[in-house]
Amino acid sequence: MVNPSAAVPVASHLRTITRAAHDTVDAAFSQLDLADRGDYARFLLAHAAATAAVEAVLSGDPTLPRWRSRLALLQNDLATLELAPPSPLPFDPGGTSAARLGALYVLEGSRLGGAVLVKRVYPGAPTAFLSARHDPGEWRAFLRAMDERGVGQTPDWLDTVACGASACFALYTASSQALPVPH
């Protein structure tokens, strides 16, 4: 395991360690055609079940880098489609701030994917959730904050961060497999 105080940044290490989990989530959601209203609704419902769970866990940790919730945006998109938000899925990334940092890495990284996916959504669809991009410099500041937290930490700490990120990717994979049918 690489010592995070060395030259390897935490985010770069996470990207490498979680590549397969990230690819699994992408493959699971790629079965949906976001230009189709029903598939887009399923996409939003699945994301709502996972995002509500992740944000609930993260919201109580004041040690995390600054982040902005997107749950209200997602719920507003669902309301526009006249869909009730689903119940959050069970989620436990691990009981430490390091594990929650890994989960936050996944949540904040998903903003980057949203910027790509929003272009595939059918015309006139509510897209507040997918359109919620980082403010200028925000993603880089987040990555710097992660790297600063990693300085001087043990390899076990970095493993815990990676486990939190992996748990978050697994949650989104589980939500994609449930793919609720809109009512």
Side-chain angles (χ1 to χ4, degrees):
M1 183 58 56
V2 177
N3 182 342
S5 64
V8 177
V10 175
S12 175
H13 185 73
L14 284 178
R15 196 170 23 259
T16 300
I17 292 292
T18 62
R19 170 66 59 205
H22 186 233
D23 290 346
T24 299
V25 170
D26 284 350
F29 281 104
S30 70
Q31 67 181 309
L32 297 173
D33 177 5
L34 301 184
D36 175 81
R37 187 184 192 282
D39 275 3
Y40 183 57
R42 283 187 280 286
F43 174 90
L44 290 177
L45 288 165
H47 275 76
T51 301
V54 175
E55 287 194 8
V57 168
L58 299 180
S59 66
D61 190 340
T63 69
L64 293 173
R66 186 181 83 79
W67 62 283
R68 292 176 290 125
S69 171
R70 290 182 292 160
L71 185 58
L73 299 172
L74 183 50
Q75 291 170 338
N76 287 340
D77 286 349
L78 288 171
T80 300
L81 294 175
E82 299 179 351
L83 297 169
S87 298
L89 294 172
F91 179 59
D92 181 8
T96 67
S97 185
R100 289 186 292 275
L101 180 62
L104 181 58
Y105 165 78
V106 174
L107 192 67
E108 283 298 292
S110 72
R111 288 180 187 266
L112 302 172
V116 173
L117 294 176
V118 73
K119 298 171 187 172
R120 300 179 188 163
V121 178
Y122 66 92
T127 59
F129 173 68
L130 288 178
S131 296
R133 296 184 176 128
H134 292 105
D135 291 337
E138 190 176 23
W139 177 242
R140 286 188 187 139
F142 174 74
L143 296 179
R144 273 193 309 276
M146 285 186 67
D147 291 344
E148 288 167 5
R149 281 166 175 71
V151 172
Q153 296 288 349
T154 66
D156 288 343
W157 179 89
L158 189 57
D159 288 343
T160 301
V161 176
C163 285
S166 294
C168 194
F169 278 122
L171 175 70
Y172 279 91
T173 298
S175 75
S176 74
Q177 292 169 348
L179 289 178
V181 177
H183 298 87

